[in-house]
């Protein structure tokens, strides 16, 4: 009576290719000489968020980047939501829709090369934010340093057969 369910005919993406693509986006730019926007997500209970944003800006400046803007998303500042205070607004973008839109506008207006998030991003969040922002979205701990870029260039030379 019922027709048997058939397998989806779309070709499957290989998981290794997906991982490589998102890693390539993050490593495609170098911090030195880049214009970056710093984005922070903080709980309403965290009172020292300004110092953390300043510290991140100093770290990026020390790495050779120029900070062109800052966005702060705070959760639990207004009434209600005390139980959800430590949770992100969105599991996909970490931020609320309005803050994502504000980040897009800041990055376009300042012509930022990347958005650097203080909070560690999952692969899914990094991919979604990179697609939405139109530029690499990386966490501060994952931002490439001069050493990692030099190591990646050496690895590329070795893999292509150019030893030196």
């Amino acid at each position: 009576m019922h027709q048997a369910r058939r397998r989806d005919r779309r070709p499957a993406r290989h998981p290794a290719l997906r991982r490589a693509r998102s890693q390539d986006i993050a490593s495609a730019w170098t911090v030195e000489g880049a214009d970056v926007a710093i984005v922070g997500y903080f709980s309403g209970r965290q009172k020292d968020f300004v110092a953390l944003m300043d510290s991140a800006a100093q770290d990026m400046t020390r790495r050779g980047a120029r900070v062109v803007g800052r966005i702060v998303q705070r959760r639990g500042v207004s009434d209600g939501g005390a139980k959800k205070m430590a949770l992100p607004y969105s599991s996909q973008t970490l931020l609320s829709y309005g803050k994502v839109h504000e980040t897009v506008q800041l990055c376009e207006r300042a012509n930022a090369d990347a958005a650097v998030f203080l909070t560690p991003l999952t692969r899914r969040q990094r991919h979604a934010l990179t697609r939405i922002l139109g530029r690499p979205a990386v966490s501060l701990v994952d931002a490439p340093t001069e050493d990692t870029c030099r190591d990646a260039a050496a690895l590329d030379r070795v893999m292509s057969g150019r030893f030196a």
Side-chain angles (χ1 to χ4, degrees):
M1 285 191 225
H2 295 287
Q3 187 174 10
R5 185 169 175 174
R6 294 183 183 158
R7 184 176 170 271
D8 192 3
R9 302 273 183 216
R10 290 178 288 165
R13 288 190 201 170
H14 195 273
L17 294 177
R18 267 185 280 172
R19 271 192 303 270
R21 220 176 295 134
S22 65
Q23 289 170 351
D24 289 344
I25 291 170
S27 63
W29 67 282
T30 57
V31 174
E32 190 162 343
D35 292 339
V36 297
I38 297 179
V39 183
Y41 174 80
F42 303 101
S43 167
R45 294 180 181 155
Q46 196 163 8
K47 304 298 182 198
D48 61 343
F49 69 93
V50 174
L52 292 171
M53 291 292 285
D54 290 341
S55 174
Q58 289 172 355
D59 184 31
M60 293 308 294
T61 302
R62 190 172 41 251
R63 293 185 191 187
R66 188 176 73 123
V67 178
V68 294
R70 299 178 186 192
I71 299 285
V72 174
Q73 172 78 66
R74 297 198 62 209
R75 178 78 188 247
V77 177
S78 61
D79 292 335
K83 294 180 208 171
K84 298 180 179 181
M85 199 177 298
L87 300 174
Y89 278 103
S90 166
S91 62
Q92 188 174 14
T93 62
L94 187 71
L95 308 172
S96 65
Y97 173 78
K99 284 296 177 181
V100 172
H101 185 68
E102 190 177 328
T103 305
V104 169
Q105 288 179 338
L106 171 69
C107 289
E108 288 176 355
R109 186 175 58 247
N111 198 19
D113 297 318
V116 178
F117 285 75
L118 269 65
T119 309
L121 299 173
T122 64
R123 187 182 58 181
R124 180 180 174 200
Q125 289 169 340
R126 190 172 50 247
H127 178 71
L129 287 165
T130 297
R131 184 177 42 79
I132 292 168
L133 297 175
R135 54 198 34 89
V138 295
S139 59
L140 184 62
V141 295
D142 294 335
T145 62
E146 185 178 320
D147 295 334
T148 58
C149 292
R150 193 172 27 243
D151 293 343
L155 181 64
D156 286 343
R157 284 194 303 273
V158 169
M159 295 302 283
S160 65
R162 293 176 285 142
F163 303 99

